[in-house]
Amino acid sequence: MKKVRFDGLTIELVSGDIVQQPDCDAIVNAANAELQTGGGVAGAIHSASDPELAQETRPFAPIKPGEAVITSAPNLPNKYIIHCLGPVYGRDKPEDKLLKNCYKNALLLAEENGIESIAFPAISTGAFGYPKKEAATIAFQTVKETASELDVVSFVRFVLWSPADYNLHWDVLKEM
Ligand code: AR6
C-alpha cells in the first residue's frame, strides 16, 4: 500500500478487488453503456451486489463515454456505487478527454453526495484496451486538477487488480 498527500487529499494505491473496499463510502464501476453486468469490474460488482442494482441503473441507461451516474450499493459494504463509462481505446475520441471526464465527473458526483472516501478501478484499461501507463497518468492528473473543487472528498483509493498494475501505477504517481 502506498499513500501520497495532495492539496488536502490522500491518494492511496492498493492491489486488490474493487468489491472488497468496506472502508470506502463509494466504489466506482468501470461500466458498460447499458449499466448492466459484464466482465471485469462490472461483472464483479453486479455479482457481489444484488439484482436490485441492475434495476436501479436501468433508468439511467444508456450513458455516453465520460459520463458518471450514482446509485446505492445493494448488498455491498459501501453506501454508493458511481458508474462510469470509459472510452474504448481507438474508437471513442478523444480518448484522453473522455477518460479524464470519467474521473472528474465521478469525483464531482462524490462531492455533491457527501462522499468522503472513494475507490476507483483503472477505468478503460481492461476490455476497453486503454494503455495502462497513459491511463494512470490521466487518472492521477485529473484527481490533482480536481482537488481544489473538493471539500468533502478527502480520500481517493486506486484499486489495482494485479501486483504488476499496482507497481506501474506507483511508478507513474511517484514521478508526478
Ligand atoms: N477489482 C479491481 N480491478 C479489476 C477487477 C476487480 N474485481 N476486475 C478487473 N479489474 P474492465 P474497462 C481491472 O475490463 O476496460 C466490462 O465487461 C482490470 O484488470 O473491468 O473499462 C464492462 O461490461 C483492468 O485493469 O473495464 C464493459 O463492457 C481494469 O480493472 C467493459 O468491460 C478495468 O477493466 C469496460 O471495460
PDB file of all heavy atoms in Angstrom, residues 89-121:
ATOM      1  N   TYR A  89     -10.589   2.353 -26.290  1.00  0.00           N
ATOM      2  CA  TYR A  89      -9.372   2.890 -26.888  1.00  0.00           C
ATOM      3  C   TYR A  89      -9.372   2.629 -28.392  1.00  0.00           C
ATOM      4  O   TYR A  89      -9.636   1.520 -28.840  1.00  0.00           O
ATOM      5  CB  TYR A  89      -8.142   2.259 -26.246  1.00  0.00           C
ATOM      6  CG  TYR A  89      -6.870   2.998 -26.581  1.00  0.00           C
ATOM      7  CD1 TYR A  89      -6.577   4.210 -25.955  1.00  0.00           C
ATOM      8  CD2 TYR A  89      -5.982   2.507 -27.515  1.00  0.00           C
ATOM      9  CE1 TYR A  89      -5.429   4.909 -26.259  1.00  0.00           C
ATOM     10  CE2 TYR A  89      -4.817   3.195 -27.824  1.00  0.00           C
ATOM     11  CZ  TYR A  89      -4.559   4.402 -27.192  1.00  0.00           C
ATOM     12  OH  TYR A  89      -3.406   5.087 -27.496  1.00  0.00           O
ATOM     13  N   GLY A  90      -9.107   3.698 -29.172  1.00  0.00           N
ATOM     14  CA  GLY A  90      -9.087   3.550 -30.626  1.00  0.00           C
ATOM     15  C   GLY A  90     -10.439   3.764 -31.285  1.00  0.00           C
ATOM     16  O   GLY A  90     -10.533   3.794 -32.507  1.00  0.00           O
ATOM     17  N   ARG A  91     -11.488   3.909 -30.486  1.00  0.00           N
ATOM     18  CA  ARG A  91     -12.818   4.113 -31.069  1.00  0.00           C
ATOM     19  C   ARG A  91     -13.484   5.403 -30.598  1.00  0.00           C
ATOM     20  O   ARG A  91     -13.952   6.193 -31.412  1.00  0.00           O
ATOM     21  CB  ARG A  91     -13.734   2.917 -30.722  1.00  0.00           C
ATOM     22  CG  ARG A  91     -15.069   2.956 -31.461  1.00  0.00           C
ATOM     23  CD  ARG A  91     -16.070   1.946 -30.942  1.00  0.00           C
ATOM     24  NE  ARG A  91     -16.694   2.388 -29.710  1.00  0.00           N
ATOM     25  CZ  ARG A  91     -17.535   1.638 -28.993  1.00  0.00           C
ATOM     26  NH1 ARG A  91     -17.808   0.393 -29.370  1.00  0.00           N
ATOM     27  NH2 ARG A  91     -18.072   2.112 -27.895  1.00  0.00           N
ATOM     28  N   ASP A  92     -13.512   5.606 -29.283  1.00  0.00           N
ATOM     29  CA  ASP A  92     -14.183   6.788 -28.734  1.00  0.00           C
ATOM     30  C   ASP A  92     -13.159   7.920 -28.619  1.00  0.00           C
ATOM     31  O   ASP A  92     -12.212   7.807 -27.848  1.00  0.00           O
ATOM     32  CB  ASP A  92     -14.777   6.461 -27.362  1.00  0.00           C
ATOM     33  CG  ASP A  92     -15.826   5.361 -27.438  1.00  0.00           C
ATOM     34  OD1 ASP A  92     -16.595   5.337 -28.408  1.00  0.00           O
ATOM     35  OD2 ASP A  92     -15.864   4.513 -26.521  1.00  0.00           O
ATOM     36  N   LYS A  93     -13.347   8.987 -29.380  1.00  0.00           N
ATOM     37  CA  LYS A  93     -12.333  10.057 -29.442  1.00  0.00           C
ATOM     38  C   LYS A  93     -12.858  11.378 -28.895  1.00  0.00           C
ATOM     39  O   LYS A  93     -14.035  11.673 -29.074  1.00  0.00           O
ATOM     40  CB  LYS A  93     -11.906  10.280 -30.893  1.00  0.00           C
ATOM     41  CG  LYS A  93     -11.495   9.027 -31.632  1.00  0.00           C
ATOM     42  CD  LYS A  93     -10.018   8.817 -31.543  1.00  0.00           C
ATOM     43  CE  LYS A  93      -9.629   7.548 -32.306  1.00  0.00           C
ATOM     44  NZ  LYS A  93      -8.301   7.101 -32.075  1.00  0.00           N
ATOM     45  N   PRO A  94     -11.992  12.241 -28.335  1.00  0.00           N
ATOM     46  CA  PRO A  94     -10.597  11.952 -27.991  1.00  0.00           C
ATOM     47  C   PRO A  94     -10.529  11.156 -26.673  1.00  0.00           C
ATOM     48  O   PRO A  94     -11.109  11.570 -25.668  1.00  0.00           O
ATOM     49  CB  PRO A  94      -9.976  13.339 -27.822  1.00  0.00           C
ATOM     50  CG  PRO A  94     -11.125  14.238 -27.458  1.00  0.00           C
ATOM     51  CD  PRO A  94     -12.386  13.619 -28.004  1.00  0.00           C
ATOM     52  N   GLU A  95      -9.801  10.058 -26.724  1.00  0.00           N
ATOM     53  CA  GLU A  95      -9.789   9.139 -25.574  1.00  0.00           C
ATOM     54  C   GLU A  95      -9.356   9.809 -24.277  1.00  0.00           C
ATOM     55  O   GLU A  95      -9.918   9.556 -23.215  1.00  0.00           O
ATOM     56  CB  GLU A  95      -8.797   7.992 -25.789  1.00  0.00           C
ATOM     57  CG  GLU A  95      -9.200   6.977 -26.793  1.00  0.00           C
ATOM     58  CD  GLU A  95      -8.486   7.137 -28.106  1.00  0.00           C
ATOM     59  OE1 GLU A  95      -7.961   8.248 -28.384  1.00  0.00           O
ATOM     60  OE2 GLU A  95      -8.454   6.148 -28.856  1.00  0.00           O
ATOM     61  N   ASP A  96      -8.310  10.656 -24.387  1.00  0.00           N
ATOM     62  CA  ASP A  96      -7.762  11.232 -23.151  1.00  0.00           C
ATOM     63  C   ASP A  96      -8.783  12.144 -22.460  1.00  0.00           C
ATOM     64  O   ASP A  96      -8.970  12.083 -21.248  1.00  0.00           O
ATOM     65  CB  ASP A  96      -6.432  11.962 -23.415  1.00  0.00           C
ATOM     66  CG  ASP A  96      -6.531  13.021 -24.502  1.00  0.00           C
ATOM     67  OD1 ASP A  96      -7.536  13.049 -25.243  1.00  0.00           O
ATOM     68  OD2 ASP A  96      -5.590  13.823 -24.610  1.00  0.00           O
ATOM     69  N   LYS A  97      -9.492  12.925 -23.271  1.00  0.00           N
ATOM     70  CA  LYS A  97     -10.505  13.826 -22.705  1.00  0.00           C
ATOM     71  C   LYS A  97     -11.662  13.023 -22.090  1.00  0.00           C
ATOM     72  O   LYS A  97     -12.173  13.356 -21.017  1.00  0.00           O
ATOM     73  CB  LYS A  97     -11.022  14.739 -23.838  1.00  0.00           C
ATOM     74  CG  LYS A  97     -12.040  15.745 -23.432  1.00  0.00           C
ATOM     75  CD  LYS A  97     -11.384  16.943 -22.737  1.00  0.00           C
ATOM     76  CE  LYS A  97     -12.308  18.116 -22.496  1.00  0.00           C
ATOM     77  NZ  LYS A  97     -13.378  17.922 -21.572  1.00  0.00           N
ATOM     78  N   LEU A  98     -12.067  11.975 -22.774  1.00  0.00           N
ATOM     79  CA  LEU A  98     -13.189  11.163 -22.285  1.00  0.00           C
ATOM     80  C   LEU A  98     -12.817  10.431 -20.994  1.00  0.00           C
ATOM     81  O   LEU A  98     -13.627  10.335 -20.070  1.00  0.00           O
ATOM     82  CB  LEU A  98     -13.648  10.177 -23.366  1.00  0.00           C
ATOM     83  CG  LEU A  98     -14.246  10.836 -24.616  1.00  0.00           C
ATOM     84  CD1 LEU A  98     -14.470   9.794 -25.711  1.00  0.00           C
ATOM     85  CD2 LEU A  98     -15.557  11.541 -24.299  1.00  0.00           C
ATOM     86  N   LEU A  99     -11.577   9.941 -20.925  1.00  0.00           N
ATOM     87  CA  LEU A  99     -11.154   9.259 -19.704  1.00  0.00           C
ATOM     88  C   LEU A  99     -11.057  10.258 -18.549  1.00  0.00           C
ATOM     89  O   LEU A  99     -11.477   9.976 -17.423  1.00  0.00           O
ATOM     90  CB  LEU A  99      -9.809   8.548 -19.921  1.00  0.00           C
ATOM     91  CG  LEU A  99      -9.363   7.655 -18.762  1.00  0.00           C
ATOM     92  CD1 LEU A  99     -10.380   6.536 -18.480  1.00  0.00           C
ATOM     93  CD2 LEU A  99      -7.993   7.050 -19.039  1.00  0.00           C
ATOM     94  N   LYS A 100     -10.532  11.423 -18.861  1.00  0.00           N
ATOM     95  CA  LYS A 100     -10.455  12.492 -17.862  1.00  0.00           C
ATOM     96  C   LYS A 100     -11.853  12.831 -17.324  1.00  0.00           C
ATOM     97  O   LYS A 100     -12.051  12.996 -16.113  1.00  0.00           O
ATOM     98  CB  LYS A 100      -9.834  13.715 -18.535  1.00  0.00           C
ATOM     99  CG  LYS A 100      -9.596  14.870 -17.630  1.00  0.00           C
ATOM    100  CD  LYS A 100      -9.112  16.045 -18.450  1.00  0.00           C
ATOM    101  CE  LYS A 100      -9.151  17.251 -17.574  1.00  0.00           C
ATOM    102  NZ  LYS A 100      -7.923  17.995 -17.566  1.00  0.00           N
ATOM    103  N   ASN A 101     -12.820  12.934 -18.237  1.00  0.00           N
ATOM    104  CA  ASN A 101     -14.191  13.240 -17.818  1.00  0.00           C
ATOM    105  C   ASN A 101     -14.734  12.199 -16.838  1.00  0.00           C
ATOM    106  O   ASN A 101     -15.472  12.543 -15.909  1.00  0.00           O
ATOM    107  CB  ASN A 101     -15.126  13.316 -19.027  1.00  0.00           C
ATOM    108  CG  ASN A 101     -14.872  14.558 -19.865  1.00  0.00           C
ATOM    109  OD1 ASN A 101     -14.170  15.471 -19.437  1.00  0.00           O
ATOM    110  ND2 ASN A 101     -15.425  14.575 -21.072  1.00  0.00           N
ATOM    111  N   CYS A 102     -14.386  10.932 -17.050  1.00  0.00           N
ATOM    112  CA  CYS A 102     -14.843   9.880 -16.122  1.00  0.00           C
ATOM    113  C   CYS A 102     -14.409  10.195 -14.702  1.00  0.00           C
ATOM    114  O   CYS A 102     -15.215  10.185 -13.766  1.00  0.00           O
ATOM    115  CB  CYS A 102     -14.222   8.524 -16.468  1.00  0.00           C
ATOM    116  SG  CYS A 102     -14.907   7.741 -17.907  1.00  0.00           S
ATOM    117  N   TYR A 103     -13.106  10.445 -14.537  1.00  0.00           N
ATOM    118  CA  TYR A 103     -12.586  10.679 -13.185  1.00  0.00           C
ATOM    119  C   TYR A 103     -13.157  11.976 -12.606  1.00  0.00           C
ATOM    120  O   TYR A 103     -13.554  12.031 -11.445  1.00  0.00           O
ATOM    121  CB  TYR A 103     -11.054  10.687 -13.210  1.00  0.00           C
ATOM    122  CG  TYR A 103     -10.503   9.282 -13.343  1.00  0.00           C
ATOM    123  CD1 TYR A 103     -10.104   8.773 -14.578  1.00  0.00           C
ATOM    124  CD2 TYR A 103     -10.416   8.442 -12.237  1.00  0.00           C
ATOM    125  CE1 TYR A 103      -9.626   7.474 -14.710  1.00  0.00           C
ATOM    126  CE2 TYR A 103      -9.949   7.141 -12.356  1.00  0.00           C
ATOM    127  CZ  TYR A 103      -9.545   6.661 -13.598  1.00  0.00           C
ATOM    128  OH  TYR A 103      -9.089   5.372 -13.712  1.00  0.00           O
ATOM    129  N   LYS A 104     -13.196  13.001 -13.442  1.00  0.00           N
ATOM    130  CA  LYS A 104     -13.681  14.296 -12.951  1.00  0.00           C
ATOM    131  C   LYS A 104     -15.168  14.208 -12.557  1.00  0.00           C
ATOM    132  O   LYS A 104     -15.565  14.639 -11.475  1.00  0.00           O
ATOM    133  CB  LYS A 104     -13.472  15.366 -14.026  1.00  0.00           C
ATOM    134  CG  LYS A 104     -13.882  16.720 -13.545  1.00  0.00           C
ATOM    135  CD  LYS A 104     -13.247  17.853 -14.318  1.00  0.00           C
ATOM    136  CE  LYS A 104     -13.681  19.128 -13.639  1.00  0.00           C
ATOM    137  NZ  LYS A 104     -12.646  20.036 -13.323  1.00  0.00           N
ATOM    138  N   ASN A 105     -15.976  13.654 -13.446  1.00  0.00           N
ATOM    139  CA  ASN A 105     -17.413  13.551 -13.154  1.00  0.00           C
ATOM    140  C   ASN A 105     -17.678  12.675 -11.935  1.00  0.00           C
ATOM    141  O   ASN A 105     -18.564  12.971 -11.129  1.00  0.00           O
ATOM    142  CB  ASN A 105     -18.168  13.020 -14.378  1.00  0.00           C
ATOM    143  CG  ASN A 105     -18.245  14.059 -15.482  1.00  0.00           C
ATOM    144  OD1 ASN A 105     -18.292  15.256 -15.197  1.00  0.00           O
ATOM    145  ND2 ASN A 105     -18.267  13.627 -16.732  1.00  0.00           N
ATOM    146  N   ALA A 106     -16.904  11.601 -11.777  1.00  0.00           N
ATOM    147  CA  ALA A 106     -17.084  10.728 -10.604  1.00  0.00           C
ATOM    148  C   ALA A 106     -16.741  11.486  -9.327  1.00  0.00           C
ATOM    149  O   ALA A 106     -17.466  11.413  -8.328  1.00  0.00           O
ATOM    150  CB  ALA A 106     -16.220   9.483 -10.739  1.00  0.00           C
ATOM    151  N   LEU A 107     -15.652  12.241  -9.351  1.00  0.00           N
ATOM    152  CA  LEU A 107     -15.242  12.986  -8.147  1.00  0.00           C
ATOM    153  C   LEU A 107     -16.252  14.075  -7.809  1.00  0.00           C
ATOM    154  O   LEU A 107     -16.586  14.281  -6.630  1.00  0.00           O
ATOM    155  CB  LEU A 107     -13.852  13.591  -8.360  1.00  0.00           C
ATOM    156  CG  LEU A 107     -12.705  12.577  -8.373  1.00  0.00           C
ATOM    157  CD1 LEU A 107     -11.430  13.225  -8.905  1.00  0.00           C
ATOM    158  CD2 LEU A 107     -12.464  11.976  -6.982  1.00  0.00           C
ATOM    159  N   LEU A 108     -16.777  14.763  -8.828  1.00  0.00           N
ATOM    160  CA  LEU A 108     -17.745  15.837  -8.557  1.00  0.00           C
ATOM    161  C   LEU A 108     -19.076  15.267  -8.063  1.00  0.00           C
ATOM    162  O   LEU A 108     -19.723  15.837  -7.175  1.00  0.00           O
ATOM    163  CB  LEU A 108     -17.935  16.710  -9.801  1.00  0.00           C
ATOM    164  CG  LEU A 108     -16.678  17.485 -10.235  1.00  0.00           C
ATOM    165  CD1 LEU A 108     -16.956  18.289 -11.505  1.00  0.00           C
ATOM    166  CD2 LEU A 108     -16.154  18.402  -9.132  1.00  0.00           C
ATOM    167  N   LEU A 109     -19.449  14.112  -8.596  1.00  0.00           N
ATOM    168  CA  LEU A 109     -20.660  13.430  -8.121  1.00  0.00           C
ATOM    169  C   LEU A 109     -20.481  12.983  -6.660  1.00  0.00           C
ATOM    170  O   LEU A 109     -21.406  13.079  -5.845  1.00  0.00           O
ATOM    171  CB  LEU A 109     -20.913  12.220  -9.033  1.00  0.00           C
ATOM    172  CG  LEU A 109     -22.301  11.692  -9.288  1.00  0.00           C
ATOM    173  CD1 LEU A 109     -23.319  12.781  -9.533  1.00  0.00           C
ATOM    174  CD2 LEU A 109     -22.255  10.726 -10.470  1.00  0.00           C
ATOM    175  N   ALA A 110     -19.297  12.529  -6.340  1.00  0.00           N
ATOM    176  CA  ALA A 110     -18.993  12.144  -4.955  1.00  0.00           C
ATOM    177  C   ALA A 110     -19.128  13.374  -4.048  1.00  0.00           C
ATOM    178  O   ALA A 110     -19.774  13.313  -2.991  1.00  0.00           O
ATOM    179  CB  ALA A 110     -17.591  11.552  -4.863  1.00  0.00           C
ATOM    180  N   GLU A 111     -18.549  14.462  -4.470  1.00  0.00           N
ATOM    181  CA  GLU A 111     -18.601  15.698  -3.677  1.00  0.00           C
ATOM    182  C   GLU A 111     -20.059  16.120  -3.420  1.00  0.00           C
ATOM    183  O   GLU A 111     -20.447  16.418  -2.291  1.00  0.00           O
ATOM    184  CB  GLU A 111     -17.836  16.796  -4.436  1.00  0.00           C
ATOM    185  CG  GLU A 111     -17.806  18.137  -3.761  1.00  0.00           C
ATOM    186  CD  GLU A 111     -16.903  18.191  -2.531  1.00  0.00           C
ATOM    187  OE1 GLU A 111     -16.084  17.277  -2.329  1.00  0.00           O
ATOM    188  OE2 GLU A 111     -17.049  19.157  -1.764  1.00  0.00           O
ATOM    189  N   GLU A 112     -20.875  16.097  -4.496  1.00  0.00           N
ATOM    190  CA  GLU A 112     -22.289  16.505  -4.368  1.00  0.00           C
ATOM    191  C   GLU A 112     -23.073  15.611  -3.414  1.00  0.00           C
ATOM    192  O   GLU A 112     -24.073  16.028  -2.837  1.00  0.00           O
ATOM    193  CB  GLU A 112     -23.006  16.378  -5.729  1.00  0.00           C
ATOM    194  CG  GLU A 112     -22.727  17.487  -6.699  1.00  0.00           C
ATOM    195  CD  GLU A 112     -23.205  17.093  -8.106  1.00  0.00           C
ATOM    196  OE1 GLU A 112     -24.149  16.282  -8.239  1.00  0.00           O
ATOM    197  OE2 GLU A 112     -22.588  17.596  -9.075  1.00  0.00           O
ATOM    198  N   ASN A 113     -22.622  14.359  -3.285  1.00  0.00           N
ATOM    199  CA  ASN A 113     -23.359  13.400  -2.469  1.00  0.00           C
ATOM    200  C   ASN A 113     -22.739  13.181  -1.086  1.00  0.00           C
ATOM    201  O   ASN A 113     -23.075  12.216  -0.396  1.00  0.00           O
ATOM    202  CB  ASN A 113     -23.491  12.072  -3.217  1.00  0.00           C
ATOM    203  CG  ASN A 113     -24.539  12.160  -4.319  1.00  0.00           C
ATOM    204  OD1 ASN A 113     -25.726  11.983  -4.073  1.00  0.00           O
ATOM    205  ND2 ASN A 113     -24.097  12.502  -5.530  1.00  0.00           N
ATOM    206  N   GLY A 114     -21.826  14.054  -0.721  1.00  0.00           N
ATOM    207  CA  GLY A 114     -21.268  13.982   0.630  1.00  0.00           C
ATOM    208  C   GLY A 114     -20.373  12.784   0.882  1.00  0.00           C
ATOM    209  O   GLY A 114     -20.262  12.303   2.021  1.00  0.00           O
ATOM    210  N   ILE A 115     -19.744  12.311  -0.179  1.00  0.00           N
ATOM    211  CA  ILE A 115     -18.881  11.129  -0.074  1.00  0.00           C
ATOM    212  C   ILE A 115     -17.461  11.564   0.309  1.00  0.00           C
ATOM    213  O   ILE A 115     -16.864  12.396  -0.369  1.00  0.00           O
ATOM    214  CB  ILE A 115     -18.891  10.373  -1.424  1.00  0.00           C
ATOM    215  CG1 ILE A 115     -20.269   9.726  -1.619  1.00  0.00           C
ATOM    216  CG2 ILE A 115     -17.755   9.360  -1.518  1.00  0.00           C
ATOM    217  CD1 ILE A 115     -20.539   9.258  -3.036  1.00  0.00           C
ATOM    218  N   GLU A 116     -16.956  10.984   1.396  1.00  0.00           N
ATOM    219  CA  GLU A 116     -15.604  11.365   1.847  1.00  0.00           C
ATOM    220  C   GLU A 116     -14.528  10.493   1.228  1.00  0.00           C
ATOM    221  O   GLU A 116     -13.415  10.956   0.977  1.00  0.00           O
ATOM    222  CB  GLU A 116     -15.515  11.248   3.375  1.00  0.00           C
ATOM    223  CG  GLU A 116     -16.317  12.311   4.090  1.00  0.00           C
ATOM    224  CD  GLU A 116     -16.330  12.119   5.600  1.00  0.00           C
ATOM    225  OE1 GLU A 116     -15.414  11.464   6.143  1.00  0.00           O
ATOM    226  OE2 GLU A 116     -17.273  12.621   6.227  1.00  0.00           O
ATOM    227  N   SER A 117     -14.859   9.210   1.023  1.00  0.00           N
ATOM    228  CA  SER A 117     -13.826   8.274   0.544  1.00  0.00           C
ATOM    229  C   SER A 117     -14.351   7.489  -0.644  1.00  0.00           C
ATOM    230  O   SER A 117     -15.488   7.021  -0.646  1.00  0.00           O
ATOM    231  CB  SER A 117     -13.439   7.327   1.680  1.00  0.00           C
ATOM    232  OG  SER A 117     -14.597   6.736   2.234  1.00  0.00           O
ATOM    233  N   ILE A 118     -13.509   7.359  -1.657  1.00  0.00           N
ATOM    234  CA  ILE A 118     -13.944   6.740  -2.919  1.00  0.00           C
ATOM    235  C   ILE A 118     -12.830   5.849  -3.460  1.00  0.00           C
ATOM    236  O   ILE A 118     -11.657   6.208  -3.363  1.00  0.00           O
ATOM    237  CB  ILE A 118     -14.353   7.841  -3.935  1.00  0.00           C
ATOM    238  CG1 ILE A 118     -14.853   7.263  -5.257  1.00  0.00           C
ATOM    239  CG2 ILE A 118     -13.228   8.835  -4.191  1.00  0.00           C
ATOM    240  CD1 ILE A 118     -15.530   8.289  -6.170  1.00  0.00           C
ATOM    241  N   ALA A 119     -13.220   4.690  -4.003  1.00  0.00           N
ATOM    242  CA  ALA A 119     -12.245   3.743  -4.570  1.00  0.00           C
ATOM    243  C   ALA A 119     -12.491   3.578  -6.062  1.00  0.00           C
ATOM    244  O   ALA A 119     -13.616   3.263  -6.479  1.00  0.00           O
ATOM    245  CB  ALA A 119     -12.362   2.392  -3.867  1.00  0.00           C
ATOM    246  N   PHE A 120     -11.462   3.806  -6.852  1.00  0.00           N
ATOM    247  CA  PHE A 120     -11.534   3.669  -8.314  1.00  0.00           C
ATOM    248  C   PHE A 120     -10.795   2.422  -8.787  1.00  0.00           C
ATOM    249  O   PHE A 120      -9.680   2.163  -8.317  1.00  0.00           O
ATOM    250  CB  PHE A 120     -10.803   4.835  -8.993  1.00  0.00           C
ATOM    251  CG  PHE A 120     -11.540   6.134  -9.026  1.00  0.00           C
ATOM    252  CD1 PHE A 120     -11.302   7.102  -8.060  1.00  0.00           C
ATOM    253  CD2 PHE A 120     -12.425   6.419 -10.054  1.00  0.00           C
ATOM    254  CE1 PHE A 120     -11.957   8.334  -8.108  1.00  0.00           C
ATOM    255  CE2 PHE A 120     -13.084   7.644 -10.116  1.00  0.00           C
ATOM    256  CZ  PHE A 120     -12.853   8.603  -9.137  1.00  0.00           C
ATOM    257  N   PRO A 121     -11.332   1.741  -9.800  1.00  0.00           N
ATOM    258  CA  PRO A 121     -10.515   0.773 -10.541  1.00  0.00           C
ATOM    259  C   PRO A 121      -9.807   1.557 -11.661  1.00  0.00           C
ATOM    260  O   PRO A 121     -10.056   2.761 -11.824  1.00  0.00           O
ATOM    261  CB  PRO A 121     -11.560  -0.170 -11.134  1.00  0.00           C
ATOM    262  CG  PRO A 121     -12.718   0.743 -11.433  1.00  0.00           C
ATOM    263  CD  PRO A 121     -12.700   1.827 -10.353  1.00  0.00           C
TER     264      PRO A 121
END
